Amino acid sequence: MRSQVSVSFKNTAPFRIELSPEQAMDREAARQWLDGQFTAMECEPLRPTGKLLMADRVVVVAQAAGPTKFADAQWALAFAQSAAAVLGKPVINVDADSLTITY
């Protein structure tokens, strides 16, 4: 299944990453990659209860990464692969500024 992950930030063009079926990542590996990025970037849970859904993790990591990380093609590809694997949707749009995801 082909996938597209788009991440937008205020005052920048959206970052669009196209994924072919060969670039798919295993769901568990994707979860671990996102967990690692969440910890490395010292992200905070969105909800006061501390519960962190995978969609929350995707958007918080995108926000913490900012346009600088997404300018790194290798990092952006790993993010897109992870987001597509954990969310299981062919088209994912992340608005990092408003902390929202649409499918």
Side-chain angles (χ1 to χ4, degrees), residues 7-34:
V7 182
S8 62
F9 298 93
K10 192 174 191 176
N11 300 323
T12 64
F15 293 90
R16 286 189 173 76
I17 303 104
E18 300 280 338
L19 300 171
S20 65
E22 304 82 47
Q23 293 174 303
M25 184 183 280
D26 172 70
R27 184 173 167 80
E28 183 58 27
R31 189 193 61 74
Q32 289 177 4
W33 188 87
L34 285 168

Side-chain angles (χ1 to χ4, degrees), residues 1 14 32 38 40:
M1 170 174 77
Q32 289 177 4
F38 187 88

Side-chain angles (χ1 to χ4, degrees), residues 15 17 23 67-81:
F15 293 90
I17 303 104
Q23 293 174 303
T68 304
K69 283 270 196 196
F70 281 95
D72 175 346
Q74 188 174 6
W75 191 93
L77 175 61
F79 175 86
Q81 290 171 310

